[in-house]
Amino acid sequence: MAEAVAHTISVNGQLEPLDGAGSVGDLLDRMSLREKRIAVERNGEIVPRSVFDQTALAPGDRLEIVIAVGGG
């Protein structure tokens, strides 16, 4: 019997299990990033903040999450 392969996505180059994260919004909640000033790219395309909760994640997706930091 073959081992079950975990469903993963790549977040900033690191493999992460989906673990119930059905949308970009779910993932951001799990990572405690929802309230941060961030930009999200999924598979090479920017995801507007207004559709984080409607943007479904699938195994193999590649996400880049950039957190804006203030300073000068």
Side-chain angles (χ1 to χ4, degrees), residues 8 10 13 15 21 26 30 38 40 43 45-46 49 54 58 60 71:
T8 60
S10 172
L15 288 180
D26 293 338
R30 186 174 81 194
I38 58 172
V40 178
N43 300 329
E45 294 186 16
I46 297 294
R49 179 177 290 274
Q54 292 79 37

Side-chain angles (χ1 to χ4, degrees), residues 21-52:
S23 70
V24 169
D26 293 338
L27 179 68
L28 296 175
D29 287 340
R30 186 174 81 194
M31 297 175 72
S32 300
L33 294 175
R34 173 73 78 157
E35 301 305 317
K36 305 269 186 198
R37 291 180 46 195
I38 58 172
V40 178
E41 180 183 274
R42 178 180 166 264
N43 300 329
E45 294 186 16
I46 297 294
V47 179
R49 179 177 290 274
S50 61
V51 296
F52 283 170

